[in-house]
Amino acid sequence: MDYQNANYQPLNNNAQPTQENNQQQTTHNVPKCNCCGHIGPWKEDPVFRPVDWILTIVFLLLGIIPGIAYAVVVLAIRSGKHGDGYRNKRCTNCGAKNMFTFIY
């Protein structure tokens, strides 16, 4: 390869910063929907989804112990402060699932 006739352009590292680069992103307590831009609280799905009710009834028909065990495990996983990660959060404006941010 012949690099002697290449057309090199100098890098422009001294470009003026734009308005977008100057904005500081801050953390807020209220989430913002990434889909519609709504700023407000979200709505969480219930602890027992319809499929959980159906599976609990099926396991209860198979035996009382498996049905109760399934219900207790689902309740333990999806409830409480640490169970929030297993529940969908929906925007109250557009209904988008799990599309939120606290940095805006």
Side-chain angles (χ1 to χ4, degrees):
M1 297 184 98
D2 185 18
Y3 293 107
Q4 293 178 354
N5 295 330
N7 186 12
Y8 292 109
Q9 299 293 325
L11 293 175
N12 191 3
N13 290 335
N14 297 329
Q16 296 295 325
T18 61
Q19 180 83 13
E20 296 174 4
N21 294 341
N22 290 336
Q23 293 178 348
Q24 294 289 330
Q25 294 182 344
T26 58
T27 303
H28 299 277
N29 293 332
V30 181
K32 176 182 178 183
C33 178
N34 290 339
C35 188
C36 69
H38 173 71
I39 298 174
W42 59 63
K43 179 183 174 190
E44 280 187 333
D45 282 352
V47 175
F48 279 98
R49 302 169 295 177
V51 69
D52 294 328
W53 286 109
I54 293 169
L55 287 174
T56 301
I57 292 171
V58 168
F59 285 134
L60 281 172
L61 292 175
L62 295 174
I64 193 83
I65 301 298
I68 292 174
Y70 178 78
V72 167
V73 167
V74 168
L75 185 67
I77 290 174
R78 293 177 52 97
S79 66
K81 186 170 142 181
H82 297 290
D84 290 343
Y86 297 103
R87 294 168 67 182
N88 288 332
K89 291 143 183 83
R90 297 183 182 269
C91 176
T92 55
N93 189 34
C94 68
K97 290 190 313 186
N98 298 329
M99 294 190 63
F100 59 88
T101 183
F102 289 99
I103 301 173
Y104 53 93

